[in-house]
């Protein structure tokens, strides 16, 4: 097997080469998902002996023994190829007898049952077709967003999602960790944020240890963790633990007792944000940080006399988009000082805010015509961009809605080839209004895998939805075998579905 990967990507994708090979080992080529750039298989078969099978580094490989990510991946995928052998469930004694096209396993199974005792002999055969794969990702950023504010997701549910992401070649976990409903991130510097802003200060929080565990688990699967601390809107939970952070709303000439977005006119706001993001940048090692900047409701700012006076002083008139721009520019400058690159939602661009050219814009609004126009405008201005708008899969419908996600064409917009190179990838978003640990996995998988193939594979080779269906159906069964409770695509069954699911 040969694997060709490109070295020009900032976002790592090495976690994903193994799965292609392993599926080929035990399934037909048609079952591979996402589809490799080039795959050639022959009828020639080789027997697999689990006692003699091992992964090794190629002599020309840039990585060699001692690369912890790959060394650990070798162990994980061995267990996926030979699950029964690895667990020792059926093997008290194993003997290998050579035959023409296969290795025959003679297994003595000790039965521990009341009605019978003794041994039963049966045979298992593993083999692999000779296959050559040349593969690399189409886009460098292939993300999944999880929202842990609207419903708290236990760490184990996040880890299970990371496993499934690796199987589908996603390489960025966008952790939308806090929002209006709750602030589950436990800050060292500002412990009241979670103590007063989480659903529960002990059970519904992510400790520093929890965050470290998620980051480490993701790293070993070639997945980077991108934290999002969205402001100035989506911050109601922040105000519970940090006084004077949010804007007091007014009813006429008197405070109404309610609060709006972060107060952008106070120096204390930026001192707090600088301190918080300094901590965040030390906890999350990724070079990118998501600052949000979307859906700011201006009504509270408009009601506040101090804010209106500040607007006049700054020459903003009655244009509150300029006030948001003022705030976001200050926040972006804070992250620049921390040597972090910012990702922001498209609103920041739409409001003509002055942001560094290396800032990444994130498109979340609109139908194809609308987001195509946004892609054209953002890339024409020279910014890199991520596309999420067509992959909000928290929305569900009856039938095979994965087909809609599969037929997205990220580069189908008016622009030069240079502009299209600025589209660095896309993201599947799973917002949490109606999603918690009870339904996260089946709602995500295998629907998210449709977007995974669009972001990884060659578009021309994967343009036929009907041809994709049997591969995705087979892949869904593979996810079940690996413990991912992916929902069915249509009528039928998987041979592994009743084994522990």
């Amino acid at each position: 097997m040969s694997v060709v990967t490109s070295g020009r990507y900032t976002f790592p994708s090495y976690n994903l080469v193994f799965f292609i090979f392993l599926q080929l080992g035990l399934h037909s080529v048609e079952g591979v998902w996402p589809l490799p750039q080039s795959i050639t298989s022959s009828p020639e078969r080789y027997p697999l002996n689990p006692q003699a099978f091992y992964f090794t580094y190629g002599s020309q490989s840039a990585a060699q023994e001692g690369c912890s990510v790959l060394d650990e991946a070798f162990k994980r995928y061995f267990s996926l190829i030979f699950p029964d052998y690895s667990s020792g469930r059926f093997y008290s004694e194993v003997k290998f007898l050579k035959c023409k096209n296969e290795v025959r396993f003679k297994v003595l199974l000790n039965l521990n049952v009341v009605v019978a005792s003794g041994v039963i002999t049966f045979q298992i055969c593993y083999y692999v077709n000779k296959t050559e794969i040349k593969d690399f990702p189409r886009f460098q950023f292939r993300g999944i967003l999880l929202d842990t504010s609207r419903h708290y997701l236990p760490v184990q549910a996040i880890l299970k999602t990371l496993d499934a992401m690796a199987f589908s070649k996603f390489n960025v976990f966008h952790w939308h960790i806090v929002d209006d409903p709750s602030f589950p991130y436990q800050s060292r510097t500002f412990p009241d944020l979670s103590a007063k802003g989480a659903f529960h200060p002990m059970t519904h929080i992510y400790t520093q240890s929890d965050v470290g565990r998620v980051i480490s688990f993701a790293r070993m699967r070639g997945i980077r963790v991108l934290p999002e601390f969205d402001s100035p809107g989506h911050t109601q939970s922040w105000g519970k633990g940090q006084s004077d952070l949010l804007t007091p709303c007014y009813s006429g000439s008197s405070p109404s007792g309610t609060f709006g977005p972060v107060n952008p006119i106070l120096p204390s706001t930026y001192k707090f944000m600088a301190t918080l993001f300094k901590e965040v940048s030390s906890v999350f090692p990724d070079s990118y940080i998501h600052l949000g900047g979307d859906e700011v409701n201006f009504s509270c700012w408009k009601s506040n006399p101090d804010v209106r006076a500040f607007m006049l002083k700054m020459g903003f008139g009655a244009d509150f988009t300029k006030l948001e721009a003022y705030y976001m520019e200050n926040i972006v400058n804070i992250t620049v000082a921390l040597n972090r690159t910012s990702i922001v939602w498209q609103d920041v661009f739409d409001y003509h805010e002055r942001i560094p050219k290396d800032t990444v814009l994130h498109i979340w609004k609109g139908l194809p015509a609308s987001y195509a126009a946004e892609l054209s405008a953002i890339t024409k201005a020279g910014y890199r961009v991520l596309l999420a708008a067509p992959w909000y899969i928290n929305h569900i419908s009856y039938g095979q809605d994965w087909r809609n996600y599969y037929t997205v064409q990220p580069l189908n917009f008016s622009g030069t080839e240079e502009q299209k190179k600025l589209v660095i990838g896309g993201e599947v978003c799973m917002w949490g209004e109606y999603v918690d640990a009870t339904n996260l996995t089946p709602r995500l998988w295998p629907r998210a895998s449709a977007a995974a193939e669009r972001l990884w594979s060659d578009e021309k080779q994967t343009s036929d939805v009907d041809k994709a269906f049997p591969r995705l159906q087979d892949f869904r069964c593979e996810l079940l075998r690996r413990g991912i409770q992916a929902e069915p695509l249509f009528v039928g069954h998987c041979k592994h579905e009743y084994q522990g699911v």
Side-chain angles (χ1 to χ4, degrees), residues 380-391:
K380 188 175 182 179
Y383 290 101
R384 291 175 297 163
V385 63
L386 294 168
L387 182 62
W391 293 310

Side-chain angles (χ1 to χ4, degrees), residues 456-491:
W456 178 277
S457 305
D458 178 77
E459 189 172 274
K460 292 181 180 178
Q461 294 184 58
T462 55
S463 59
D464 192 317
V465 181
D466 292 331
K467 287 184 178 178
F469 176 75
R471 282 193 300 111
L472 186 56
Q473 197 169 39
D474 185 76
F475 180 64
R476 182 255 172 175
C477 292
E478 190 67 25
L479 289 175
L480 284 187
R481 188 179 74 84
R482 296 179 176 197
I484 307 299
Q485 296 188 346
E487 70 177 17
L489 292 164
F490 196 51
V491 297

Side-chain angles (χ1 to χ4, degrees), residues 244-440:
D244 300 324
L245 178 64
L246 303 185
T247 306
C249 306
Y250 276 66
S251 178
S253 59
S254 302
S256 65
T258 60
F259 295 87
V262 167
N263 193 333
I265 72 172
L266 299 179
S268 59
T269 291
Y270 302 103
K271 182 179 179 181
F272 164 79
M273 288 294 185
T275 305
L276 177 64
F277 281 118
K278 182 178 180 180
E279 176 190 318
V280 168
S281 66
S282 70
V283 173
F284 293 88
D286 200 80
S287 59
Y288 287 75
I289 187 168
H290 205 301
L291 300 178
D294 64 316
E295 295 186 311
V296 180
N297 187 328
F298 296 146
S299 60
C300 184
W301 283 351
K302 290 178 181 178
S303 76
N304 186 296
D306 295 330
V307 172
R308 291 199 305 269
F310 182 83
M311 294 274 289
L312 291 175
K313 176 184 174 183
M314 297 296 292
F316 295 161
D319 187 352
F320 284 86
T321 66
K322 291 182 179 178
L323 182 59
E324 183 184 351
Y326 170 83
Y327 172 83
M328 288 304 299
E329 289 161 17
N330 276 281
I331 299 302
V332 169
N333 288 337
I334 288 171
T335 59
V336 169
L338 293 168
N339 197 30
R340 292 293 187 270
T341 301
S342 300
I343 302 178
V344 293
W345 296 109
Q346 70 181 79
D347 311 50
V348 175
F349 175 82
D350 295 342
Y351 291 155
H352 309 291
E353 299 171 17
R354 296 185 299 274
I355 52 177
K357 279 294 183 182
D358 66 346
T359 305
V360 178
L361 278 301
H362 202 163
I363 296 177
W364 67 276
K365 298 181 183 180
L367 297 171
S370 175
Y371 66 70
E374 191 81 2
L375 282 164
S376 182
I378 291 174
T379 56
K380 188 175 182 179
Y383 290 101
R384 291 175 297 163
V385 63
L386 294 168
L387 182 62
W391 293 310
Y392 266 45
I393 69 170
N394 50 291
H395 298 291
I396 58 174
S397 60
Y398 190 78
Q400 298 185 43
D401 58 357
W402 71 270
R403 292 172 177 261
N404 300 326
Y405 310 138
Y406 192 77
T407 54
V408 173
Q409 296 177 302
L411 301 185
N412 187 21
F413 64 92
S414 177
T416 65
E417 287 304 308
E418 290 304 309
Q419 282 180 248
K420 295 185 179 184
K421 289 177 183 177
L422 292 172
V423 181
I424 62 173
E427 185 173 86
V428 169
C429 296
M430 181 58 79
W431 297 101
E433 288 88 348
Y434 304 99
V435 176
D436 65 9
T438 65
N439 62 347
L440 171 66

Side-chain angles (χ1 to χ4, degrees), residues 38 55 85 110-111 167 178-180 183 294 366 379 392 425 442 465:
S38 171
F55 291 100
Y85 178 82
N110 292 319
L111 292 181
F167 298 150
V178 298
D179 206 297
D180 281 329
F183 197 106
D294 64 316
T379 56
Y392 266 45
V465 181

